[in-house]
Amino acid sequence: MPTLDLICLGVGKGSSSVLRGLPSTAFALRVDGRPELLIDCGAGVALSYRRLLGEALPARIYLSHNHHDHAGDLPIVLLSALDLRASVLGHPDVLEIVREHRLHDGPEVRRAFQERIEWVAADARGVIALGGLLPGLALELVRSRHSYLCYGFVLRRDGVDLLGYTADSGFEEGIYARVTRAPVAILDGREQGNADHASFAEIEAFARRVPGCDIRVVHYEDTDHRFAESNVRLLREGEVVPLGIA
C-alpha cells in the first residue's frame, strides 16, 4: 500500500520572502517519497522546494487563492513547465482570478498559459479527482473564512479523510469541524487573530474538543508559542507530516 506524507516548504506571510528571504506557506504532497502535488506556490516557494527536495517541481499545483504568499511564484514556475503539460488545480472562481490577474502578461505568454497548461477546476460538488496520482484520491474543497476568495480542502481516498487544510482562514466552527474530522489537520493561526486568521487561543480551545486530531498550525511569524494541548503544535519549514498508508 502506498505511503503518503506532506513536507512543509514554508510558513511565511506576504512580506516574508521579500523582506526576510523566508518562503511563503506551502507544502508538497508525496506518494511513496515522490513529490506529486504542490500545495500553493507563493513567493520563495520554488527555491525552498529545490533546496529541500533537490528536484524539479511536480507537474500538479493546487492553489487556495491568489494572494502573493500563495501564488506569487506561479508565473515563473508555469513558464518553466510549459513543456511538461503542468496542471493547476483549484476552485473555478479562484482559477479565473488567477488567470485574469496573476497571469496577466503579454498576449503570447497568456496564450501559452491557456493552451499549454491544464486548468483543473473542482466539479459542482467541490471535488477534484486525483486518480492520476493515486486511485481513489481526491480533494474536497472547503471555503475558508477570508475576505478574499479562498479554499482549503480535505484530502480523501475512497471516502476516507486523510488530511484537512483550512488555507488562510479565520476561526469558524463549521470549517474547523469539517477539516478536523481528518486524523491530521493544518490550520492557519496567529498569536493575535483577526477576521481572516484564527488566533492561537481559538485554535487551542477547539483542539480540546478533537483530541484525536493531530493539529499543526501555520503561524506566519517568528514565535516560540507552545500550546498546552498535546494534539496541537506549530509547524516548521522542512517538517515532514506523515499521513499514513492510503
Side-chain angles (χ1 to χ4, degrees):
M1 298 293 286
T3 59
L4 297 178
D5 66 26
L6 204 68
I7 183 166
C8 178
L9 303 176
V11 294
K13 58 180 180 176
S15 63
S16 297
S17 177
V18 175
L19 300 181
R20 304 175 61 197
L22 300 175
S24 303
T25 298
F27 310 90
L29 177 67
R30 302 190 297 188
V31 180
D32 287 335
R34 299 185 313 274
E36 297 283 4
L37 175 68
L38 184 63
I39 300 169
D40 282 330
C41 192
V45 167
L47 186 60
S48 174
Y49 182 100
R50 292 180 181 236
R51 184 176 67 251
L52 290 169
L53 296 171
E55 52 191 284
L57 275 72
R60 299 176 184 86
I61 303 169
Y62 173 80
L63 291 182
S64 63
H65 62 303
N66 189 41
H67 275 168
H68 183 67
D69 55 331
H70 290 262
D73 273 8
L74 184 67
I76 298 302
V77 168
L78 292 185
L79 281 172
S80 69
L82 286 176
D83 293 333
L84 301 178
R85 190 62 180 177
S87 300
V88 182
L89 291 63
H91 188 276
D93 294 339
V94 170
L95 297 185
E96 182 179 354
I97 291 169
V98 168
R99 287 194 296 263
E100 178 64 24
H101 300 287
R102 181 66 55 183
L103 304 181
H104 195 278
D105 209 315
E108 291 187 5
V109 174
R110 290 203 304 274
R111 189 178 309 113
F113 284 148
Q114 290 290 350
E115 297 176 356
R116 300 173 69 182
I117 301 296
E118 183 182 13
W119 298 89
V120 182
D123 64 20
R125 301 170 299 150
V127 174
I128 301 174
L130 298 175
L133 190 161
L134 193 64
L137 201 65
L139 300 176
E140 176 192 306
L141 302 198
V142 178
R143 175 74 180 267
S144 302
R145 178 185 154 186
H146 200 274
S147 56
Y148 195 74
L149 189 67
C150 179
Y151 283 84
F153 59 75
V154 176
L155 178 70
R156 315 185 78 200
R157 189 179 189 202
D158 295 329
V160 177
D161 295 349
L162 302 174
L163 169 73
Y165 174 50
T166 62
D168 281 1
S169 182
F171 177 79
E172 186 169 306
E173 184 80 19
I175 296 169
Y176 273 46
R178 177 64 193 96
V179 299
T180 58
R181 277 163 44 190
V184 180
I186 296 175
L187 308 181
D188 163 40
R190 294 185 177 181
E191 291 197 83
Q192 300 298 321
N194 53 42
D196 290 344
H197 304 280
S199 70
F200 289 168
E202 289 171 319
I203 291 173
E204 183 148 46
F206 191 87
R208 294 189 193 103
R209 296 157 50 191
V210 287
C213 183
D214 178 10
I215 296 174
R216 314 291 177 96
V217 180
V218 174
H219 46 88
Y220 302 112
E221 303 282 359
D222 285 334
T223 176
D224 293 322
H225 183 85
R226 291 179 180 271
F227 294 94
E229 299 302 312
S230 61
N231 65 321
V232 56
R233 60 188 177 86
L234 298 179
L235 191 60
R236 302 293 185 186
E237 178 187 347
E239 184 176 344
V240 175
V241 182
L243 301 179
I245 298 175

